[in-house]
Amino acid sequence: MLSTRLTNARFLTMDPGHPVAHDLGIWQGRIVGLDEAVTSLPAREVIDLQGATVLPGFIDAHVHLAWTGFKQNTPSIAGCTRIDDVLAVVEEAVTRKGSPGTWVSIAGYDQRALGRHLTAAELDKVSHGHKVFMLHDSGHGCVVNSAVLDLLPAGIPHENGFLAEGAMGAARALRLPHSQEELAEAIGRAARTCLAEGVTACAEAGIGGTLLGHSPVELGAYQLACDTGRLPLRVQLMVSADRLHPVAAHEADGIPRALDLGLRTGFGNDRLSVGALKIFTDGGMMARTAALSSPYEGLDHTGQLQDDPDVLADTIVDGHLAGWQLAVHAIGDRAADVALDALERAQHLRPRPGARHRIEHAGLIRPDQLPRFAQLGISAVVQPNFLRYFGDDYAAIMGEERAPWLYRGRAFLDHGITLVGSSDRPVTDGSPLRAVQFMVERASGSGQVIGPDEGITVDEALRAYTVAGAFACHWEDNLGSLTPGKFADLVVLGDDPRRVDTSRIGDIEVVATYVDGRETGRAA
C-alpha cells in the first residue's frame, strides 16, 4: 500500500526517461512510481492536486540561513535614501536597547542608495554610548561607530568607520558569539521562508568562519535545530576554510591542514550534512571589492583579493588534498584566475575527477576563462537575482565590454559547464521562480536587458534549480528529479513555468511544498 498518491497534476519530473506524469506514488518518504505503475495501487491518502503543476523541490545551492533569520528580526534601513532618515532609524534602535555599552545591530545598509558611505562620526551623534554595527547588505563590509573603532586592534584599516572584508571580520570578532539556541531559532525562521518559495534543500554557504560565521560551534546549532524540529528542509553545511589548521596526519595521507578528526565533505545524513569547504578569494560588487583584472568604470581601483594570491592558492590546494569538495567564492575575473590556477595545481598534485569543485558566484567571467572551467570540471554556482535587482548598477560599473559577461548562462552551458542556480539569500531575493525568469529574459527590474546572448530556455533554468543543484551538492542519487527511488521532495505550483509568458514566471504561486512526501509549507 502506498503512503500517498498524488493525482490530477502535471508532474514535470526533470527526468528525460519519463518527463511528464499525471500520478505519483509515495511510500516511506520516497517516490515509488509514476502513472500506471501506481494509479491502481491502494493508498492511505489520495490527494487531488486539481490540475496543478508539480516540480522537484527547488535546491538553493548557496544560501545563508542564520544570517537570513537574524536579518528578519533586525532593525533595517533598507529603502532609506537620506542620511538623516538612516540616523533616525539607528537612534530609535539604540533607544530601545536600554543600557549604554551594549551592541546594536542594523541591517539593510547599502551606500549606493545614499550616494556615499556613512561615517563613524555620524553614527556617534545617535549612538548614545552604544556600540553600533551596521552590516552591508553584501556581507562584505560594515559601518561602525567610534565606540567599536576604539576596540579594534591597531592597524585595522577603515575609511571613516567603513570596514571591508577582513577588517569587517575583525569588528565581528569583538562580539560574543550567538548562542546555539539563538542560532537555531534564526535558522528555523529562515528555513520556513525558503519552504514558502518552494525550496526543499539548500547549501548553507559558510559556517564558523571570521567573515560570515556566527559561532565557533555553529554546526551544533544546526544539529539543535534539526533535533528540535526547527529544520524542516534538507541542509548541507559549507565550512569556512579559516577553520582549517595544521594536523599531524600520517605522511601517506598527504593532508597538511584539516578540521579536527579529519572531518570533510560528506559527513552526516540526508537531512543535515557537511558539504564543501568555503574559500573566499575576493569581495563583492555591491561593496566594490570584487577583484577585477581592470578597474571599475568611473573608479581608480580593481577591488581586492582577500589575501595574498599565494596564500589563497595554498588554502585551495590544502583543502583539495584533505579530501574536501571546494566552494571557492570568486566574483571578479581576477579572483576567478586565482581560483582556476589553484584548482588546476591541486588536481595536478592529486587528481580527484569526482571532487565536483565549485566556483561560487562566477560574477564576471571572461571568454578565455570558460574553457578552463570546462576542462577542470568546475560547476558555476550563480545568483541570477543579483542582476534582476542590481543589474543596472552592475552593468554601469562594468562598462559596455564587460557587462555581457556578468552572471552568465548560455556560455556556461555551451561549454559543457554545470550551471547551478542559487540566491545568496539574504543578500537579495531568494525566489527560484523569479531567478528562473531572469535567466530566460535577462532583464533587470527596470527592463534593461543585460547580456541577452546569455539567456537560456525555461527548461534549462529549471534544471539549474533542480538537477544541477543536486549534482553540485552530491545529492543526485536522492534529489533533483521526480524519479522512482528518490525522496518525495516536491513543489506544487499554480501554473506551468513552461507554458506561461516569460514575464509571468516569477509571479507563479507556490501552492505547497513537500519534503519526504509530507506537506511542510502551503501558501496562506
Side-chain angles (χ1 to χ4, degrees):
M1 175 180 286
L2 299 174
S3 305
T4 307
R5 179 162 56 85
L6 303 178
T7 187
N8 188 20
R10 181 176 176 81
F11 294 92
L12 306 181
T13 69
M14 308 308 292
D15 181 348
H18 195 145
V20 181
H22 53 77
D23 275 31
L24 181 146
I26 300 168
W27 184 68
Q28 293 190 346
R30 289 186 181 266
I31 300 166
V32 295
L34 301 167
D35 292 343
E36 286 71 24
V38 297
T39 301
S40 61
L41 294 179
R44 294 192 186 96
E45 182 181 31
V46 177
I47 299 176
D48 185 341
L49 292 177
Q50 300 179 348
T53 296
V54 182
L55 280 158
F58 295 127
I59 297 172
D60 190 333
H62 184 120
V63 65
H64 300 277
L65 291 177
W67 178 12
T68 298
F70 282 128
K71 186 175 181 179
Q72 289 172 342
N73 275 12
T74 300
S76 176
I77 61 167
C80 293
T81 58
R82 298 173 61 248
I83 299 294
D84 287 346
D85 293 339
V86 169
L87 296 179
V89 173
V90 174
E91 187 161 32
E92 182 182 356
V94 164
T95 301
R96 291 201 301 268
K97 270 291 182 180
S99 315
T102 56
W103 286 87
V104 177
S105 294
I106 304 292
Y109 178 65
D110 186 344
Q111 85 285 356
R112 296 173 303 174
L114 302 173
R116 65 171 176 82
H117 280 299
L118 282 170
T119 68
E122 288 168 330
L123 289 177
D124 289 344
K125 296 175 183 178
V126 294
S127 54
H128 304 300
H130 291 77
K131 305 178 188 74
V132 177
F133 182 94
M134 186 177 291
L135 182 64
H136 196 280
D137 262 350
S138 68
H140 288 275
C142 65
V143 177
V144 300
N145 65 347
S146 296
V148 178
L149 293 177
D150 291 344
L151 298 175
L152 289 171
I156 296 295
H158 70 89
E159 182 183 339
N160 298 320
F162 177 72
L163 300 99
E165 309 302 342
M168 180 196 72
R172 286 175 62 92
L174 294 172
R175 307 185 66 172
L176 290 172
H178 292 280
S179 72
Q180 289 192 347
E181 177 60 33
E182 290 174 319
L183 279 162
E185 189 61 32
I187 290 162
R189 192 159 48 241
R192 293 190 294 274
T193 301
C194 291
L195 283 173
E197 294 181 338
V199 175
T200 58
C202 64
E204 162 64 56
I207 62 168
T210 301
L211 196 61
L212 291 176
H214 296 89
S215 168
V217 290
E218 196 163 356
L219 190 152
Y222 281 85
Q223 289 180 294
L224 176 62
C226 191
D227 292 344
T228 54
R230 286 177 282 185
L231 198 65
L233 73 174
R234 305 183 197 281
V235 178
Q236 189 178 85
L237 303 172
M238 300 185 204
V239 178
S240 294
D242 55 8
R243 305 305 300 175
L244 294 181
H245 57 81
V247 293
H250 193 284
E251 62 180 15
D253 294 337
I255 299 176
R257 282 188 283 174
L259 295 187
D260 289 334
L261 304 179
L263 188 71
R264 60 176 173 82
T265 303
F267 182 80
N269 57 34
D270 57 76
R271 274 299 183 127
L272 181 64
S273 61
V274 175
L277 185 72
K278 177 72 177 294
I279 302 171
F280 287 92
T281 63
D282 69 344
M285 287 186 186
M286 292 169 64
R288 311 310 195 227
T289 55
L292 310 179
S293 55
S294 56
Y296 289 88
E297 288 288 312
L299 301 176
D300 60 357
H301 69 85
T302 57
Q304 65 187 79
L305 295 171
Q306 292 283 355
D307 209 329
D308 180 87
D310 291 337
V311 172
L312 296 172
D314 287 346
T315 300
I316 290 170
V317 171
D318 286 354
H320 173 89
L321 295 177
W324 287 89
Q325 178 190 24
L326 303 180
V328 185
H329 168 115
I331 292 184
D333 61 325
R334 179 161 57 108
D337 281 333
V338 171
L340 292 167
D341 289 346
L343 289 167
E344 184 175 23
R345 175 156 69 95
Q347 290 285 17
H348 176 74
L349 290 171
R350 182 177 295 170
R352 289 176 53 213
R356 299 188 195 176
H357 296 322
R358 312 156 36 145
I359 288 187
E360 309 298 299
H361 308 297
L364 186 76
I365 300 301
R366 302 187 308 269
D368 65 286
Q369 293 173 318
L370 293 166
R372 298 193 67 196
F373 267 76
Q375 181 182 8
L376 290 166
I378 296 168
S379 297
V381 183
V382 301
Q383 297 75 40
N385 277 334
F386 276 16
L387 291 191
R388 180 178 174 88
Y389 292 94
F390 311 138
D392 294 352
D393 174 60
Y394 284 14
I397 60 175
M398 289 302 109
E400 185 176 352
E401 179 185 6
R402 294 181 293 183
W405 306 343
L406 287 164
Y407 294 92
R408 292 177 178 270
R410 173 55 53 201
F412 285 133
L413 293 179
D414 285 352
H415 281 79
I417 299 162
T418 300
L419 176 66
V420 184
S422 69
S423 68
D424 205 14
R425 185 197 304 264
V427 176
T428 190
D429 184 355
S431 165
L433 286 170
R434 284 189 281 274
V436 165
Q437 178 177 325
F438 175 83
M439 295 175 88
V440 177
E441 63 184 9
R442 301 285 300 187
S444 71
S446 73
Q448 180 180 355
V449 178
I450 302 164
D453 292 343
E454 293 295 332
I456 62 177
T457 68
V458 174
D459 277 336
E460 289 167 333
L462 291 173
R463 285 183 65 84
Y465 279 90
T466 53
V467 176
F471 177 85
C473 295
H474 292 268
W475 278 334
E476 72 277 10
D477 289 342
N478 289 308
L479 302 175
S481 65
L482 301 181
T483 301
K486 294 190 177 185
F487 289 121
D489 293 3
L490 45 89
V491 55
V492 181
L493 303 178
D495 217 328
D496 184 341
R498 303 187 307 180
R499 293 185 170 185
V500 303
D501 187 86
T502 302
S503 64
R504 291 183 50 218
I505 293 175
D507 295 324
I508 292 175
E509 179 189 5
V510 175
V511 177
T513 54
Y514 286 73
V515 177
D516 283 331
R518 293 187 294 271
E519 187 175 345
T520 58
R522 178 171 284 273

